[in-house]
Amino acid sequence: SLAQAEALDKALKDAGMKLDYVIEIVLDREIAKERIMGRRLCANDNNHPNHIAFEAIKPVEKDGKLVCRVCGGELSARADDQDEDAIDKRHKIYYDTKTGTTAAVNYFKNLKDAPVISVDGSLAIKEVSALIMKQLP
């Protein structure tokens, strides 16, 4: 939030530190919603990335059912990841330009000593990572 960004900036300055970079991954709301709704959780390990829309981390099919691509575990979706109203509520906060996450990014964009790296989040995971790394020293 904007309040958190301001508090972070103040705390860093009070400690004699500076923020080297802020990384903003820009993504259209509808694409973000589709991505949230496509996430799947592995029953064995929630850190196993599985997503129905990304080839690189797509679950595999076994006996007509999608299972974890890493360990073959059973997959599920978080209830709030399937609730469009809940997603819209989260996005309303995120994309709020007055107090939300977008406002926080804009706060840092207006500071001279905190360069913001903005990248297109609609690209593939490897491409987004490469764009970010390319802009870091």
Side-chain angles (χ1 to χ4, degrees):
S1 72
L2 176 58
Q4 291 169 319
E6 292 169 340
L8 173 63
D9 185 40
K10 181 182 181 325
L12 288 171
K13 285 179 179 163
D14 289 349
M17 301 170 69
K18 75 178 201 107
L19 192 60
D20 293 325
Y21 297 97
V22 173
I23 298 174
E24 174 189 30
I25 300 175
V26 180
L27 189 61
D28 175 78
R29 278 176 100 142
E30 284 306 310
I31 295 171
K33 183 188 287 188
E34 290 171 15
R35 289 186 177 178
I36 290 168
M37 295 181 83
R39 294 189 294 201
R40 297 297 180 265
L41 301 174
C42 173
N44 298 325
D45 188 336
N46 282 340
N47 292 315
H48 290 168
N50 288 275
H51 197 288
I52 61 173
F54 295 107
E55 282 303 318
I57 57 173
K58 198 170 207 157
V60 295
E61 189 172 328
K62 182 178 179 185
D63 300 326
K65 187 175 174 183
L66 291 178
V67 297
C68 177
R69 64 180 199 60
V70 177
C71 71
E74 184 178 330
L75 295 177
S76 64
R78 285 178 28 174
D80 61 339
D81 280 357
Q82 303 308 304
D83 182 341
E84 291 192 46
D85 289 336
I87 294 168
D88 289 340
K89 185 176 180 179
R90 285 187 265 170
H91 280 171
K92 185 177 180 184
I93 294 166
Y94 182 89
Y95 290 99
D96 182 326
T97 59
K98 296 199 183 317
T99 61
T101 306
T102 300
V105 172
N106 290 339
Y107 172 82
F108 287 114
K109 283 180 178 179
N110 291 323
L111 295 179
K112 299 289 185 231
D113 59 346
V116 176
I117 295 171
S118 293
V119 296
D120 179 358
S122 68
L123 304 172
I125 296 167
K126 287 183 180 180
E127 292 173 298
V128 172
S129 297
L131 286 171
I132 292 168
M133 295 307 292
K134 184 178 180 181
Q135 293 185 59
L136 293 173

